[in-house]
Amino acid sequence: MARILTVTLNTALDLTHHVPRLVPHASHRVTRVTERPGGKGLNVARVLAALGHDTVVTGFAGGPTGEVLRALLAAERPVDALVPITGNTRRTLAIVDASTGDTTQLNEPGPAVSPAEWESFLLGYESLLTGAEAVALCGSLPPGIPVGAYAELVRRARTAGVPVLLDTSGEPLLRGIAARPDVVKPNADELFQLTGSRDPATASADARRKGARAVVASLGPDGILATTDAGAWRAAPPSPVRGNPTGAGDSAVAGLLSGLVAGLSWPDRLVRAVALSAATVAAPAAGEFSVPVYESLLPEVHVTPHPTHP
């Protein structure tokens, strides 16, 4: 299997609490708690590893929370190439309401990263690109990281000849897309913020003009829209899947990367991405997916050509 590198500059310890019913201003008895190494790129790596890919994770981890994150990561298959920092890794809290299946997400800010820590990361990143067959740049930027960080990382990946997927938002996405990543994967809101258009097809065409070689837009329960040099397609599960959506977008990224390194066509990559995303909604914790749901959905995902906008 190909080696895939994922970058998570703002890692997190993901905590998921399950309650019978979430009621504002009330005390709750928690029925189940799970904790996982988190942040978008770590979730992507975990899914890739479960699919059988060799994966390496890099980014930052520090403080007592970072120690817990790395201890949990050691029990999983991704290789840990995280850079230590003095700040304390953030936590995220997902509260799952069993009565509705809805999830409330609370995200802490990340720790400040010093210029010396950023330079240490860049040295390691250059080394890790050697031998990588794809790289995913995922998530938000912690304090202290330059807003153009992803643009720099895209350029270095392109110089190394490594295909790069960018999954972020806001100004980091705007700066990063100008460096011409091979794929960007915004959701509908991120695509609107980037282009000002609410129509996914129009916005995707605009994002390509801004520099992205391909745009794969997540449309929630409606699946995804991919706009590429080879054409455009909509892909969706046969019916909506209820559950915890945390990490579903990360699983879609894993599916796209898995299909890319396997040399699959764009429609086949989208089938894998949608099936993994839906199977993650059906799983109890972020960064996991239900294997039976994934396998059952693979032949059921609908992929149809979509008109491209000039």
Side-chain angles (χ1 to χ4, degrees), residues 9-10 60 85-89 109-115 117-118 142-145:
L9 298 178
N10 208 8
F60 300 105
I85 57 174
T86 57
N88 191 37
T89 295
V113 177
S114 71
E117 290 165 342
W118 172 238
I145 297 297

Side-chain angles (χ1 to χ4, degrees), residues 261-274:
V261 299
L264 300 183
S265 67
W266 268 107
D268 288 339
R269 295 183 208 180
L270 301 181
V271 166
R272 192 170 289 189
V274 169

Side-chain angles (χ1 to χ4, degrees), residues 10-17 33-40 42-43 46 65 69 72 89-94 105-107 246-247 250 285-287:
N10 208 8
T11 59
L13 180 64
D14 286 341
L15 306 173
T16 303
H17 288 194
V33 178
T34 59
E35 59 179 8
R36 297 286 186 274
K40 295 178 72 64
L42 267 66
N43 289 337
R46 185 181 300 109
T65 306
L69 182 151
L72 292 169
T89 295
R90 68 191 178 116
R91 297 165 298 176
T92 69
L93 175 61
Q105 190 81 19
L106 303 175
N107 296 330
T246 304
D250 305 330

